[in-house]
Amino acid sequence: AMELQPPTLELAELPTAAAAPADCTGTCNTCPAVGSCPDRVVCKCLRVTEEVVITAITSLGLRTVKEVRTVTEAGTGCN
């Protein structure tokens, strides 16, 4: 049986930080572009920043949430 892979969004398809000025005061949904808020904490309990997640994805070629969680420990459900 053929294993189905979930669709992935290539980083090249996402807007870059230069696309718009950053408003890092709200939620992640208010960021105008990927990488525009490198110091934004995306995992509060472990203080993992947006920059750490993006660097892990781009430098290691991570493709799934599970891979990002394993490498950065962000979003692993700590209390």
Side-chain angles (χ1 to χ4, degrees):
M2 188 169 93
E3 184 179 330
L4 296 177
Q5 296 294 321
T8 58
L9 182 61
E10 297 296 326
L11 289 177
E13 296 173 26
L14 300 174
T16 63
D23 173 14
C24 299
T25 58
T27 66
C28 287
N29 293 333
T30 64
C31 282
V34 172
S36 62
C37 299
D39 295 327
R40 179 189 302 271
V41 174
V42 295
C43 178
K44 291 180 183 179
C45 57
L46 293 177
R47 307 283 305 157
V48 179
T49 64
E50 180 178 323
E51 181 177 36
V52 168
V53 172
I54 291 171
T55 299
I57 291 168
T58 57
S59 65
L60 301 174
L62 306 181
R63 299 188 52 88
T64 67
V65 172
K66 183 177 180 179
E67 290 172 337
V68 173
R69 285 180 176 166
T70 300
V71 171
T72 67
E73 296 184 348
T76 56
C78 51
N79 296 317

